[in-house]
Tab-separated table of all heavy atoms in Angstrom:
chain	number	residue	atom	x	y	z
A	1412	TRP	N	137.115	-78.530	83.249
A	1412	TRP	CA	137.338	-78.198	81.829
A	1412	TRP	C	137.174	-76.717	81.602
A	1412	TRP	O	137.952	-76.102	80.873
A	1412	TRP	CB	136.392	-79.000	80.930
A	1412	TRP	CG	136.577	-80.469	80.990
A	1412	TRP	CD1	137.704	-81.170	81.346
A	1412	TRP	CD2	135.571	-81.443	80.740
A	1412	TRP	NE1	137.466	-82.517	81.276
A	1412	TRP	CE2	136.208	-82.740	80.904
A	1412	TRP	CE3	134.232	-81.401	80.376
A	1412	TRP	CZ2	135.473	-83.903	80.694
A	1412	TRP	CZ3	133.526	-82.586	80.172
A	1412	TRP	CH2	134.135	-83.833	80.337
A	1413	VAL	N	136.135	-76.123	82.230
A	1413	VAL	CA	135.899	-74.668	82.074
A	1413	VAL	C	137.072	-73.889	82.659
A	1413	VAL	O	137.565	-72.918	82.019
A	1413	VAL	CB	134.614	-74.260	82.774
A	1413	VAL	CG1	134.383	-72.730	82.609
A	1413	VAL	CG2	133.393	-75.032	82.170
A	1414	LYS	N	137.524	-74.243	83.852
A	1414	LYS	CA	138.636	-73.560	84.476
A	1414	LYS	C	139.906	-73.706	83.649
A	1414	LYS	O	140.733	-72.726	83.537
A	1414	LYS	CB	138.853	-74.063	85.861
A	1414	LYS	CG	139.645	-73.120	86.784
A	1414	LYS	CD	139.584	-73.556	88.226
A	1414	LYS	CE	140.307	-72.566	89.119
A	1414	LYS	NZ	140.266	-72.972	90.537
A	1415	ALA	N	140.081	-74.867	83.016
A	1415	ALA	CA	141.245	-75.080	82.166
A	1415	ALA	C	141.262	-74.137	80.977
A	1415	ALA	O	142.270	-73.666	80.494
A	1415	ALA	CB	141.240	-76.548	81.649
A	1416	PHE	N	140.032	-73.769	80.512
A	1416	PHE	CA	139.903	-72.812	79.413
A	1416	PHE	C	140.467	-71.474	79.848
A	1416	PHE	O	141.179	-70.827	79.032
A	1416	PHE	CB	138.412	-72.663	79.025
A	1416	PHE	CG	138.093	-72.928	77.595
A	1416	PHE	CD1	137.946	-74.238	77.134
A	1416	PHE	CD2	137.976	-71.872	76.684
A	1416	PHE	CE1	137.687	-74.486	75.827
A	1416	PHE	CE2	137.658	-72.141	75.412
A	1416	PHE	CZ	137.525	-73.439	74.924
A	1417	ASP	N	140.125	-71.024	81.062
A	1417	ASP	CA	140.703	-69.772	81.584
A	1417	ASP	C	142.173	-69.779	81.552
A	1417	ASP	O	142.843	-68.826	81.105
A	1417	ASP	CB	140.167	-69.496	82.979
A	1417	ASP	CG	138.692	-69.190	83.075
A	1417	ASP	OD1	138.222	-68.481	82.236
A	1417	ASP	OD2	138.037	-69.667	84.050
A	1418	ILE	N	142.733	-70.859	82.088
A	1418	ILE	CA	144.207	-70.985	82.239
A	1418	ILE	C	144.845	-71.010	80.833
A	1418	ILE	O	145.859	-70.390	80.572
A	1418	ILE	CB	144.583	-72.226	83.034
A	1418	ILE	CG1	144.018	-72.132	84.450
A	1418	ILE	CG2	146.111	-72.388	83.064
A	1418	ILE	CD1	144.173	-73.415	85.286
A	1419	LEU	N	144.256	-71.778	79.912
A	1419	LEU	CA	144.812	-71.972	78.588
A	1419	LEU	C	144.901	-70.618	77.859
A	1419	LEU	O	145.906	-70.299	77.242
A	1419	LEU	CB	143.954	-72.944	77.770
A	1419	LEU	CG	144.560	-73.320	76.415
A	1419	LEU	CD1	145.574	-74.446	76.596
A	1419	LEU	CD2	143.481	-73.829	75.464
A	1420	MET	N	143.849	-69.823	77.925
A	1420	MET	CA	143.832	-68.559	77.234
A	1420	MET	C	144.920	-67.639	77.802
A	1420	MET	O	145.626	-66.961	77.077
A	1420	MET	CB	142.486	-67.882	77.348
A	1420	MET	CG	141.413	-68.572	76.519
A	1420	MET	SD	141.830	-68.505	74.754
A	1420	MET	CE	140.812	-69.904	74.138
A	1421	ASP	N	145.065	-67.626	79.127
A	1421	ASP	CA	146.123	-66.836	79.748
A	1421	ASP	C	147.505	-67.269	79.271
A	1421	ASP	O	148.395	-66.466	79.056
A	1421	ASP	CB	146.027	-66.912	81.246
A	1421	ASP	CG	144.905	-66.056	81.812
A	1421	ASP	OD1	144.521	-65.066	81.132
A	1421	ASP	OD2	144.391	-66.382	82.906
A	1422	ARG	N	147.683	-68.605	79.178
A	1422	ARG	CA	148.982	-69.132	78.762
A	1422	ARG	C	149.292	-68.760	77.297
A	1422	ARG	O	150.450	-68.563	76.924
A	1422	ARG	CB	149.054	-70.656	78.979
A	1422	ARG	CG	149.171	-71.002	80.436
A	1422	ARG	CD	149.331	-72.467	80.746
A	1422	ARG	NE	149.459	-72.659	82.180
A	1422	ARG	CZ	149.560	-73.834	82.772
A	1422	ARG	NH1	149.502	-74.963	82.002
A	1422	ARG	NH2	149.673	-73.959	84.059
A	1423	LEU	N	148.292	-68.751	76.420
A	1423	LEU	CA	148.496	-68.303	75.077
A	1423	LEU	C	148.989	-66.843	75.061
A	1423	LEU	O	149.935	-66.548	74.355
A	1423	LEU	CB	147.165	-68.416	74.290
A	1423	LEU	CG	146.782	-69.805	73.768
A	1423	LEU	CD1	145.386	-69.809	73.210
A	1423	LEU	CD2	147.761	-70.269	72.689
A	1424	VAL	N	148.347	-66.006	75.852
A	1424	VAL	CA	148.770	-64.625	75.893
A	1424	VAL	C	150.182	-64.463	76.424
A	1424	VAL	O	151.066	-63.771	75.853
A	1424	VAL	CB	147.795	-63.789	76.756
A	1424	VAL	CG1	148.326	-62.365	76.933
A	1424	VAL	CG2	146.429	-63.764	76.130
A	1425	VAL	N	150.534	-65.168	77.516
A	1425	VAL	CA	151.843	-65.161	78.129
A	1425	VAL	C	152.886	-65.634	77.142
A	1425	VAL	O	154.027	-65.132	77.107
A	1425	VAL	CB	151.875	-65.891	79.434
A	1425	VAL	CG1	153.309	-66.052	79.941
A	1425	VAL	CG2	151.036	-65.246	80.500
A	1426	ALA	N	152.542	-66.661	76.346
A	1426	ALA	CA	153.479	-67.227	75.344
A	1426	ALA	C	153.710	-66.315	74.189
A	1426	ALA	O	154.528	-66.630	73.318
A	1426	ALA	CB	152.981	-68.596	74.904
A	1427	GLY	N	152.967	-65.244	74.096
A	1427	GLY	CA	153.185	-64.249	73.026
A	1427	GLY	C	152.251	-64.396	71.855
A	1427	GLY	O	152.504	-63.782	70.773
A	1428	ALA	N	151.209	-65.143	71.979
A	1428	ALA	CA	150.248	-65.300	70.857
A	1428	ALA	C	149.542	-63.969	70.592
A	1428	ALA	O	149.087	-63.291	71.538
A	1428	ALA	CB	149.215	-66.359	71.196
A	1429	ASP	N	149.473	-63.580	69.339
A	1429	ASP	CA	148.721	-62.411	68.924
A	1429	ASP	C	147.351	-62.884	68.533
A	1429	ASP	O	147.075	-63.220	67.334
A	1429	ASP	CB	149.413	-61.694	67.809
A	1429	ASP	CG	148.683	-60.400	67.374
A	1429	ASP	OD1	147.654	-60.086	67.977
A	1429	ASP	OD2	149.202	-59.753	66.425
A	1430	LEU	N	146.425	-62.952	69.477
A	1430	LEU	CA	145.097	-63.557	69.247
A	1430	LEU	C	144.250	-62.692	68.266
A	1430	LEU	O	143.292	-63.222	67.714
A	1430	LEU	CB	144.350	-63.752	70.574
A	1430	LEU	CG	145.107	-64.695	71.578
A	1430	LEU	CD1	144.334	-64.801	72.874
A	1430	LEU	CD2	145.329	-66.051	70.893
A	1431	ALA	N	144.629	-61.453	68.053
A	1431	ALA	CA	143.947	-60.653	67.068
A	1431	ALA	C	144.152	-61.162	65.654
A	1431	ALA	O	143.396	-60.823	64.754
A	1431	ALA	CB	144.382	-59.155	67.202
A	1432	GLN	N	145.189	-61.961	65.452
A	1432	GLN	CA	145.501	-62.513	64.144
A	1432	GLN	C	144.760	-63.820	63.841
A	1432	GLN	O	144.774	-64.316	62.727
A	1432	GLN	CB	146.981	-62.788	64.014
A	1432	GLN	CG	147.878	-61.544	64.069
A	1432	GLN	CD	147.671	-60.634	62.868
A	1432	GLN	OE1	147.379	-61.085	61.790
A	1432	GLN	NE2	147.817	-59.325	63.143
A	1433	ILE	N	144.048	-64.324	64.851
A	1433	ILE	CA	143.352	-65.584	64.654
A	1433	ILE	C	142.080	-65.331	63.814
A	1433	ILE	O	141.178	-64.626	64.236
A	1433	ILE	CB	142.932	-66.218	66.029
A	1433	ILE	CG1	144.133	-66.417	66.943
A	1433	ILE	CG2	142.163	-67.528	65.800
A	1433	ILE	CD1	145.136	-67.423	66.401
A	1434	ALA	N	142.083	-65.906	62.619
A	1434	ALA	CA	140.932	-65.733	61.711
A	1434	ALA	C	139.845	-66.708	61.991
A	1434	ALA	O	138.637	-66.371	61.686
A	1434	ALA	CB	141.443	-65.869	60.255
A	1435	ALA	N	140.134	-67.841	62.517
A	1435	ALA	CA	139.101	-68.852	62.769
A	1435	ALA	C	139.620	-69.818	63.841
A	1435	ALA	O	140.839	-70.044	63.948
A	1435	ALA	CB	138.726	-69.634	61.529
A	1436	VAL	N	138.701	-70.427	64.587
A	1436	VAL	CA	139.057	-71.361	65.620
A	1436	VAL	C	138.106	-72.555	65.577
A	1436	VAL	O	136.916	-72.391	65.257
A	1436	VAL	CB	138.997	-70.714	67.050
A	1436	VAL	CG1	137.638	-70.091	67.302
A	1436	VAL	CG2	139.315	-71.700	68.116
A	1437	SER	N	138.639	-73.715	65.793
A	1437	SER	CA	137.810	-74.910	65.937
A	1437	SER	C	138.455	-75.783	67.013
A	1437	SER	O	139.466	-75.426	67.587
A	1437	SER	CB	137.723	-75.668	64.613
A	1437	SER	OG	136.844	-76.764	64.699
A	1438	GLY	N	137.841	-76.898	67.288
A	1438	GLY	CA	138.333	-77.706	68.394
A	1438	GLY	C	137.930	-79.156	68.249
A	1438	GLY	O	137.143	-79.544	67.338
A	1439	THR	N	138.481	-79.950	69.140
A	1439	THR	CA	138.194	-81.379	69.201
A	1439	THR	C	138.168	-81.809	70.656
A	1439	THR	O	138.691	-81.080	71.516
A	1439	THR	CB	139.192	-82.146	68.362
A	1439	THR	OG1	138.869	-83.565	68.403
A	1439	THR	CG2	140.624	-82.001	68.950
A	1440	ALA	N	137.614	-82.959	70.941
A	1440	ALA	CA	137.583	-83.470	72.316
A	1440	ALA	C	137.439	-84.934	72.331
A	1440	ALA	O	137.055	-85.573	71.306
A	1440	ALA	CB	136.368	-82.804	73.071
A	1441	GLN	N	137.749	-85.526	73.490
A	1441	GLN	CA	137.556	-86.961	73.672
A	1441	GLN	C	136.116	-87.338	73.282
A	1441	GLN	O	135.165	-86.697	73.688
A	1441	GLN	CB	137.835	-87.322	75.120
A	1441	GLN	CG	137.049	-86.471	76.138
A	1441	GLN	CD	137.311	-86.842	77.589
A	1441	GLN	OE1	137.008	-87.931	77.961
A	1441	GLN	NE2	137.893	-85.919	78.331
A	1442	GLN	N	136.019	-88.419	72.479
A	1442	GLN	CA	134.660	-88.806	72.038
A	1442	GLN	C	133.923	-89.513	73.155
A	1442	GLN	O	134.479	-90.023	74.094
A	1442	GLN	CB	134.822	-89.759	70.798
A	1442	GLN	CG	135.100	-89.006	69.539
A	1442	GLN	CD	134.731	-89.785	68.301
A	1442	GLN	OE1	135.566	-90.456	67.733
A	1442	GLN	NE2	133.467	-89.732	67.898
A	1443	HIS	N	132.596	-89.456	72.994
A	1443	HIS	CA	131.628	-90.203	73.790
A	1443	HIS	C	131.250	-89.610	75.101
A	1443	HIS	O	130.342	-90.034	75.782
A	1443	HIS	CB	132.089	-91.676	74.024
A	1443	HIS	CG	132.535	-92.345	72.769
A	1443	HIS	ND1	131.809	-92.462	71.658
A	1443	HIS	CD2	133.743	-92.966	72.483
A	1443	HIS	CE1	132.490	-93.098	70.699
A	1443	HIS	NE2	133.661	-93.393	71.195
A	1444	GLY	N	131.985	-88.566	75.579
A	1444	GLY	CA	131.595	-87.871	76.775
A	1444	GLY	C	130.478	-86.892	76.543
A	1444	GLY	O	130.269	-86.444	75.356
A	1445	SER	N	129.714	-86.487	77.536
A	1445	SER	CA	128.569	-85.613	77.354
A	1445	SER	C	128.455	-84.598	78.485
A	1445	SER	O	128.846	-84.866	79.640
A	1445	SER	CB	127.307	-86.407	77.236
A	1445	SER	OG	127.195	-87.417	78.248
A	1446	VAL	N	127.934	-83.426	78.152
A	1446	VAL	CA	127.791	-82.296	79.067
A	1446	VAL	C	126.295	-81.914	79.123
A	1446	VAL	O	125.630	-81.797	78.070
A	1446	VAL	CB	128.641	-81.102	78.659
A	1446	VAL	CG1	128.344	-79.905	79.517
A	1446	VAL	CG2	130.122	-81.479	78.713
A	1447	TYR	N	125.771	-81.656	80.295
A	1447	TYR	CA	124.329	-81.398	80.478
A	1447	TYR	C	124.152	-79.981	81.003
A	1447	TYR	O	124.423	-79.666	82.150
A	1447	TYR	CB	123.766	-82.431	81.486
A	1447	TYR	CG	123.902	-83.829	80.981
A	1447	TYR	CD1	125.139	-84.490	80.987
A	1447	TYR	CD2	122.850	-84.529	80.370
A	1447	TYR	CE1	125.311	-85.772	80.492
A	1447	TYR	CE2	122.990	-85.791	79.813
A	1447	TYR	CZ	124.236	-86.435	79.900
A	1447	TYR	OH	124.392	-87.643	79.343
A	1448	TRP	N	123.647	-79.128	80.137
A	1448	TRP	CA	123.489	-77.679	80.415
A	1448	TRP	C	122.191	-77.520	81.185
A	1448	TRP	O	121.095	-77.961	80.753
A	1448	TRP	CB	123.423	-76.898	79.107
A	1448	TRP	CG	124.635	-76.906	78.281
A	1448	TRP	CD1	124.910	-77.731	77.208
A	1448	TRP	CD2	125.797	-76.113	78.394
A	1448	TRP	NE1	126.151	-77.447	76.661
A	1448	TRP	CE2	126.706	-76.427	77.389
A	1448	TRP	CE3	126.158	-75.046	79.277
A	1448	TRP	CZ2	127.957	-75.841	77.210
A	1448	TRP	CZ3	127.407	-74.414	79.143
A	1448	TRP	CH2	128.271	-74.795	78.067
A	1449	GLN	N	122.281	-76.778	82.283
A	1449	GLN	CA	121.117	-76.450	83.114
A	1449	GLN	C	120.283	-75.452	82.376
A	1449	GLN	O	120.745	-74.654	81.540
A	1449	GLN	CB	121.626	-75.795	84.428
A	1449	GLN	CG	120.571	-75.370	85.403
A	1449	GLN	CD	119.905	-76.558	86.066
A	1449	GLN	OE1	118.852	-76.997	85.634
A	1449	GLN	NE2	120.544	-77.047	87.157
A	1450	LYS	N	118.956	-75.485	82.611
A	1450	LYS	CA	118.097	-74.464	82.020
A	1450	LYS	C	118.569	-73.064	82.366
A	1450	LYS	O	118.875	-72.790	83.492
A	1450	LYS	CB	116.666	-74.659	82.481
A	1450	LYS	CG	115.986	-75.934	81.884
A	1450	LYS	CD	114.560	-76.110	82.364
A	1450	LYS	CE	113.967	-77.391	81.730
A	1450	LYS	NZ	112.576	-77.623	82.179
A	1451	GLY	N	118.638	-72.208	81.356
A	1451	GLY	CA	119.151	-70.884	81.522
A	1451	GLY	C	120.593	-70.742	81.177
A	1451	GLY	O	121.137	-69.595	81.102
């Protein structure tokens, strides 16, 4: 999922998105899954 984030942002830029115009961002995801952050 993290690596997909890298690819997605690059594809937005290649597609011509002017990300400086983005005033706000939000998101959604498949429900019920969970992520466990390591200390630090």
Side-chain angles (χ1 to χ4, degrees):
W1412 298 333
V1413 178
K1414 199 169 183 179
F1416 236 81
D1417 290 321
I1418 299 172
L1419 189 81
M1420 289 298 158
D1421 284 333
R1422 287 184 178 175
L1423 280 170
V1424 173
V1425 170
D1429 184 358
L1430 299 180
Q1432 296 293 328
I1433 304 296
V1436 56
S1437 186
T1439 181
Q1441 50 179 296
Q1442 282 200 265
H1443 313 305
S1445 45
V1446 173
Y1447 299 77
W1448 297 96
Q1449 180 73 265
K1450 289 181 179 178

